[in-house]
Amino acid sequence: EQGDETYEVRLPGPNSIFVYATRIRQIESSSPRRLFSLGDPASYMLVGLSMVNNQRLFNSFRNNALLQSLYILAAAIFIWALSVSLISRRALLGKAKVLERFQDKLLDNMPDGLITLGPDNEIQSANPAAHAMLNCSEGSMVGKSLRELAPALADSIQQARPHREAAGWRQAEVDGKQMEIRLSASSGEE
């Protein structure tokens, strides 16, 4: 026979042994390292390896690689979902800003006055028509008491709202024009 040969020997059960065989011959040499030489037809060197430990180690590495791949896939899906959510939120935010600008223009240009009052009848916001109805310059009403600017209007609101906690909308007429008044229950209410 020529060359080296490898054999797989199956044992009962899941185990097997791989056997490597090669022909060797003894060399007469003064060197202690070289005791054998290849090619002697009378001698063979056999090495048997059990692959059980190697197979167990391989399975462990394979399982770890599979778990790492699943972890990376899950992280990628999570990041993708966050990206989609962020993009849709940005689109909704853009729509909300457009609607807010539209509402601001609508409230600024409506002919009826619109005032928001806090629980102590302090003016929290007012549109330009309300400023014109009460003969105030633009932006000067916020933070002032309604009683300072229109005592009769403040009295009618106080009669409609005997308790400061009552919130809602009231209508009043000032110089023949309609005034919408939003009553908020707390100063932080939006």
Side-chain angles (χ1 to χ4, degrees):
E1 289 179 33
Q2 294 265 339
D4 304 336
E5 296 184 28
T6 303
Y7 302 96
E8 178 180 5
V9 179
R10 291 255 179 216
L11 300 175
N15 299 335
S16 62
I17 296 176
F18 289 92
V19 178
Y20 173 77
T22 186
R23 282 183 281 173
I24 58 171
R25 65 182 167 94
Q26 188 169 9
I27 298 177
E28 306 214 3
S29 169
S30 59
S31 170
R33 290 188 209 154
R34 288 190 84 198
L35 298 176
F36 297 96
S37 171
L38 297 177
D40 185 4
S43 301
Y44 285 91
M45 180 175 77
L46 297 175
V47 177
L49 297 173
S50 172
M51 298 303 288
V52 173
N53 291 337
N54 292 337
Q55 188 67 34
R56 196 175 303 135
L57 186 61
F58 170 76
N59 288 339
S60 172
F61 285 144
R62 184 181 63 198
N63 289 341
N64 286 340
L66 180 64
L67 288 175
Q68 288 174 356
S69 298
L70 291 175
Y71 176 75
I72 290 171
L73 179 64
I77 289 171
F78 181 71
I79 290 171
W80 175 79
L82 285 178
S83 299
V84 167
S85 175
L86 178 66
I87 290 169
S88 64
R89 274 189 168 258
R90 282 189 178 173
L92 289 176
L93 182 61
K95 288 179 183 179
K97 285 183 179 180
V98 168
L99 288 174
E100 184 179 357
R101 283 193 299 265
F102 173 74
Q103 182 182 13
D104 287 343
K105 286 182 181 180
L106 182 67
L107 293 176
D108 287 346
N109 294 319
M110 68 184 275
D112 294 342
L114 178 65
I115 294 177
T116 303
L117 293 178
D120 53 355
N121 286 343
E122 181 180 302
I123 299 173
Q124 294 177 341
S125 66
N127 71 346
H131 284 89
M133 290 173 142
L134 298 176
N135 296 323
C136 294
S137 60
E138 186 108 8
S140 65
M141 292 174 60
V142 176
K144 292 186 179 176
S145 172
L146 183 62
R147 184 163 302 287
E148 287 178 41
L149 301 173
L153 185 59
D155 289 339
S156 69
I157 294 298
Q158 194 61 38
Q159 289 172 1
R161 178 166 99 163
H163 303 290
R164 290 184 174 187
E165 295 81 31
W169 288 92
R170 302 288 185 265
Q171 291 183 347
E173 197 169 302
V174 177
D175 296 332
K177 294 183 179 178
Q178 198 67 21
M179 173 84 70
E180 299 288 332
I181 302 172
R182 179 176 179 252
L183 307 171
S184 55
S186 67
S187 59
E189 182 181 301
E190 288 293 320

